[in-house]
Structures are given as C-alpha cells and as structure tokens.
Amino acid sequence: MSEPESALSGASVVAWLRQVSPYFQRHRGQTFVVYFGGEAVAASGFTDLIRDLLLLAAVGVRLVVVFGARPQIERRLAARGIAPRVVGDLRVSDAETMAEVREVVGAMRLEIEAAFSFGSRGGPLSGAGCRIASGNFVLARPAGIIEGVDLMFTGLVRSVDARAIAARLE
C-alpha cells in the first residue's frame, strides 16, 4: 500500500519550513485579530481552522478571536417560534430575543474554547500551551431608532478596550 498523496515527505517539510520561517520570525509577538462568522463554526473544516490558529499561537503570534453567530441565532429563534425583525442589516432585539442571543453566544463561546483546548491535545501541536481568556472588551451603544423602528437592545460598537486586551494577552 502506498503512502497517501497528501502526505509530505521529509524533504518537502524541510523545504516548507525554510519557506515559511521568515514569516514566523516577522510575526512572532505580533497581535492578529481573527474574525470568523457563525458559518465557519458550523462548517466541517472548523477543526482545521482552529489547528491553523493554534499553529500561529505556537510560533508566537498573539491571537484575538472574534466570532459571529448569526446563523445559530436565526436557527434558535426559528426553533422557538420567534419571528426575527430586521431593519437594514440589524436585527430588532427585544428582551425575548436577547435571552436567546445570550444563550446561543454563550454556548458558541464554550464550543470555540473547547475546540482550542482539544485541538492542542495530541498531534503536532500537543503541549503548545494556548490559553483561552474571554472578557467584556467591547462597549456598545444603542443602535436607536432606524426607519422609525426602535431596535431596542441592538447595539453598535462604541469602543474597544485595546489596553485591557493587550494586558490580557500579556
């Protein structure tokens, strides 16, 4: 039985390392902000994305991960029989909707944190020591009334506490 075509030979791994090592050097200690939508979390390749991010962390890149949850929230609202109201690109978030949003986002946060934890166990990134922390680093302001509709609890980013994020990364 022959080796799978996707397997890399020792020589090709060394050639690849020589090619990418300048990038590792250049970006060690740098902070990358990585955003992925809820679609990425639900995709079959999500584990590969997490492994790629763990590789970046293993070579010294400081990661700030931001994720979206729109499809998961939409599915939850539909399952609960809550018809979403949208104005422009923004969902009208009443108290009932916000309760569902908090549950979905909280569950997703745990899922993403678990993926980072399990992704660093075993395999080539075992012992990489990627630690996860989350926090309330973003301050929002009410979106207000748009096209005559009160968006209630829907907010827009007011500020990001970059100092607190940097301190947490340290």
Side-chain angles (χ1 to χ4, degrees), residues 102-169:
R102 279 192 299 272
E103 279 192 35
V104 168
V105 171
M108 286 183 68
R109 190 192 92 215
L110 290 174
E111 180 181 348
I112 292 165
E113 289 178 5
F116 272 97
S117 295
F118 290 121
S120 62
R121 292 185 178 172
L125 296 173
S126 181
C130 184
R131 298 288 176 249
I132 305 297
S134 61
N136 55 342
F137 303 110
V138 178
L139 182 63
R141 65 174 177 77
I145 298 172
I146 298 178
E147 297 177 16
V149 177
D150 183 356
L151 297 180
M152 298 182 209
F153 293 104
T154 299
L156 302 172
V157 174
R158 175 175 287 171
S159 64
V160 176
D161 192 345
R163 285 187 187 163
I165 293 170
R168 183 66 58 93
L169 288 169

Side-chain angles (χ1 to χ4, degrees), residues 70 84-98 101 141-156:
R70 185 177 294 249
R85 291 183 13 210
V86 177
V87 177
D89 287 342
L90 300 174
R91 179 184 297 109
V92 178
S93 300
D94 58 15
E96 183 181 23
T97 299
M98 281 307 296
V101 167
R141 65 174 177 77
I145 298 172
I146 298 178
E147 297 177 16
V149 177
D150 183 356
L151 297 180
M152 298 182 209
F153 293 104
T154 299
L156 302 172

Side-chain angles (χ1 to χ4, degrees), residues 50-72:
I50 295 299
R51 286 188 185 131
D52 291 345
L53 293 174
L54 284 166
L55 175 61
L56 289 173
V59 299
V61 172
R62 299 158 31 128
L63 296 174
V64 175
V65 175
V66 181
F67 65 93
R70 185 177 294 249
Q72 289 84 352

